[in-house]
Amino acid sequence: MDQAADRTNRLAALREARDKKKALEAAAAGEEAPPAQQSQTSGTSGGAAAENGEPKVIFRNYNPQADNLADAKLPNLQASEPEKKSNASDLYDPSAPLNVMPATANADLKREVAGKLEILDKRTQRAIVEIMREQAAGDGAELAAVVATR
């Protein structure tokens, strides 16, 4: 338990040092110092503190019955007018063609394999040219004649 209290005190000292540093930096820059932030606890407004040092209670979803707490109630916010919801029948036009399939059944496959096919085509062309050169060298004929006959 003693360790927890020590840690709490150290964290509070660090927060105060940070807030002082920010205030000094803001004063040096000529700006108004930001208000010190209070730690948020359940049921508090997060930064609003009463004059007696206790957190100020703000009622968001509760209407207090006591008259002295009525000023702590947040004003009721009016929700904006929701947009008109469209029916599914408004979105679906039975006369329009239903296009679920891509233009070709394997368009996505072609796109994925296109790079590999280019590499294979180049290798195939090189291999064909090399085979033709070997045949031309073996027969003693010229390369142009071998290519023309094929």
Side-chain angles (χ1 to χ4, degrees):
M1 195 70 171
D2 188 36
Q3 292 175 348
D6 290 341
R7 177 175 162 72
T8 304
N9 292 336
R10 281 182 289 158
L11 289 174
L14 285 172
R15 275 190 223 105
E16 288 177 17
R18 181 192 63 203
D19 292 341
K20 286 180 184 178
K21 183 179 177 183
K22 285 183 181 180
L24 288 175
E25 289 175 357
E31 299 173 358
E32 183 178 322
Q37 294 181 352
Q38 300 288 330
S39 63
Q40 284 190 339
T41 58
S42 177
T44 65
S45 64
E51 294 174 6
N52 60 2
E54 293 182 11
K56 181 180 177 187
V57 178
I58 295 179
F59 298 105
R60 297 181 193 279
N61 298 323
Y62 175 72
N63 293 324
Q65 295 178 355
D67 293 334
N68 60 347
L69 296 177
D71 60 340
K73 172 77 172 97
L74 287 179
N76 291 334
L77 299 177
Q78 295 296 326
S80 62
E81 188 68 28
E83 295 180 12
K84 180 187 173 212
K85 293 183 179 180
S86 60
N87 294 333
S89 62
D90 294 342
L91 299 176
Y92 177 68
D93 184 14
S95 64
L98 185 61
N99 187 10
V100 177
M101 297 291 291
T104 59
N106 57 0
D108 55 343
L109 295 175
K110 286 182 182 179
R111 179 177 26 106
E112 291 177 6
V113 181
K116 293 179 181 179
L117 283 177
E118 288 179 21
I119 294 171
L120 288 175
D121 286 339
K122 289 179 184 178
R123 287 183 184 173
T124 304
Q125 292 297 325
R126 286 184 196 142
I128 290 172
V129 169
E130 190 157 329
I131 290 171
M132 288 181 171
R133 284 184 181 159
E134 289 175 1
Q135 287 178 354
D139 294 341
E142 291 185 16
L143 182 63
V146 172
V147 171
T149 59
R150 304 261 178 219

